[in-house]
Amino acid sequence: MALHSAGAVREKKQTMAELKLRRLTELNARLREDLDRPRIKVSEACTSMINYTRNTKDFMVPSLWGQVDKREDPYAPQQSGGCCVIS
């Protein structure tokens, strides 16, 4: 009886060790992927964002860009003919 329970305990410990090893291997793979991801400096990212916001017209900020013609504004409600045709 003692032999059987000792074997079960050893098997359980081995299974737990294998599970722990697998989790650590997966974590290591994810960390390597993060490490391989291309990076840029924060100052470069900020400069890029500033240039984008200065050069890209934003229809939601009329105080900066002025009023937009309704034909150019993608957010303006679409004007229909005023009536509908039922056929």
Side-chain angles (χ1 to χ4, degrees):
M1 200 78 169
L3 211 48
H4 178 67
S5 64
V9 169
R10 189 177 315 128
E11 184 177 317
K12 185 175 181 180
K13 282 185 180 180
Q14 184 177 4
T15 304
M16 293 298 289
E18 290 171 353
L19 179 63
K20 196 176 217 182
L21 176 63
R22 187 180 62 181
R23 286 182 181 167
L24 287 172
T25 304
E26 290 171 357
L27 175 62
N28 193 12
R30 284 193 305 270
L31 290 173
R32 285 186 189 277
E33 288 173 8
D34 286 345
L35 187 62
D36 291 339
R37 188 171 296 128
R39 312 247 185 228
I40 63 171
K41 294 180 180 177
V42 173
S43 58
E44 291 176 30
C46 291
T47 303
S48 175
M49 288 174 56
I50 290 168
N51 289 336
Y52 178 81
T53 55
R54 284 184 178 163
N55 299 322
T56 304
K57 197 170 192 177
D58 187 352
F59 299 108
M60 300 301 281
V61 189
S63 61
L64 181 63
W65 294 101
Q67 291 299 322
V68 179
D69 186 8
K70 291 196 185 282
R71 292 179 301 223
E72 293 179 21
D73 188 357
Y75 303 108
Q78 298 297 320
Q79 297 292 331
S80 62
C83 62
C84 61
V85 177
I86 299 175
S87 50

